[in-house]
């Protein structure tokens, strides 16, 4: 059911009871972010969105993900995602930026105001990106650094263990720094 411990998930997501069976039903972005946050709270696992992202595959994004996964280089895959991702999440921007010394940074910017739900969305997206990179470069791939726009969290060490890299908070964009 969509109700657990007094939580009305249909109201939380803005979905009608029949919507979960309709693959074309849309969920408002704020509702989606709040739902991710609520999952973390109710499971007692602040890493829930990140772990969910780590389980995602390119096909989970439908044609957009499959199109990106079949590009010849990571740079063209990211450009393809950026070009088409807005049909899923308006205001999102994904890019690869050179940072010098042979390093680049994958950035994920969202045009939403920072809330706990946005933190969950960021973690889900970075988990999915990490999973994508590990499928592309091998399971031992790790970024040099992870970056998030939100403030320090109590579970920082857990985040760093999952990313196998230091996490920098209050950054201008979310993402990873890695070797070009």
């Amino acid at each position: 059911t969509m109700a657990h411990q007094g939580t009305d998930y249909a109201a939380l997501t803005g979905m009608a009871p029949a919507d979960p069976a309709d693959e074309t039903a849309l969920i408002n972005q704020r509702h989606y972010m709040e739902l991710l946050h609520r999952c973390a709270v109710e499971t007692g696992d602040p890493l829930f969105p990140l772990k969910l992202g780590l389980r995602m595959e390119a096909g989970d994004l439908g044609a957009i993900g499959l199109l990106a996964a079949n590009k010849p280089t990571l740079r063209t895959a990211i450009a393809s995602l950026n070009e088409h991702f807005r049909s899923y999440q308006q205001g999102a921007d994904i890019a690869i930026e050179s940072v010098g010394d042979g390093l680049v940074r994958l950035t994920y910017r969202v045009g939403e105001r920072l809330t706990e739900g946005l933190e969950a969305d960021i973690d889900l997206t970075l988990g999915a990106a990490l999973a994508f990179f590990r499928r592309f470069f091998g399971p031992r791939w790790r970024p040099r650094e992870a970056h998030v726009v939100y403030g320090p969290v109590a579970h920082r060490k857990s985040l760093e263990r999952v990313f196998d890299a230091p996490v920098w908070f209050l950054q201008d964009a979310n993402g990873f720094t890695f070797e070009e």
Side-chain angles (χ1 to χ4, degrees), residues 43-130:
T43 62
D45 185 357
L47 296 178
F48 179 89
L50 180 62
K51 291 175 181 177
L52 183 61
L54 286 167
R55 292 175 178 257
M56 292 181 73
E57 297 182 12
D60 292 337
L61 285 177
I64 292 170
L66 294 173
L67 179 65
N70 285 292
K71 293 293 183 183
T73 67
L74 182 60
R75 192 174 294 274
T76 57
I78 299 301
S80 176
L81 275 176
N82 188 48
E83 180 181 351
H84 302 290
F85 194 71
R86 288 182 188 99
S87 66
Y88 280 136
Q89 189 172 11
Q90 292 180 346
D93 182 61
I94 302 168
I96 295 277
E97 302 171 345
S98 246
V99 293
D101 295 329
L103 298 173
V104 294
R105 183 169 77 149
L106 168 75
T107 60
Y108 169 64
R109 291 180 171 92
V110 185
E112 288 288 323
R113 190 172 48 86
L114 190 59
T115 65
E116 289 172 319
L118 182 57
E119 288 180 21
D121 171 72
I122 290 165
D123 288 352
L124 174 94
T125 303
L126 292 181
L130 184 61

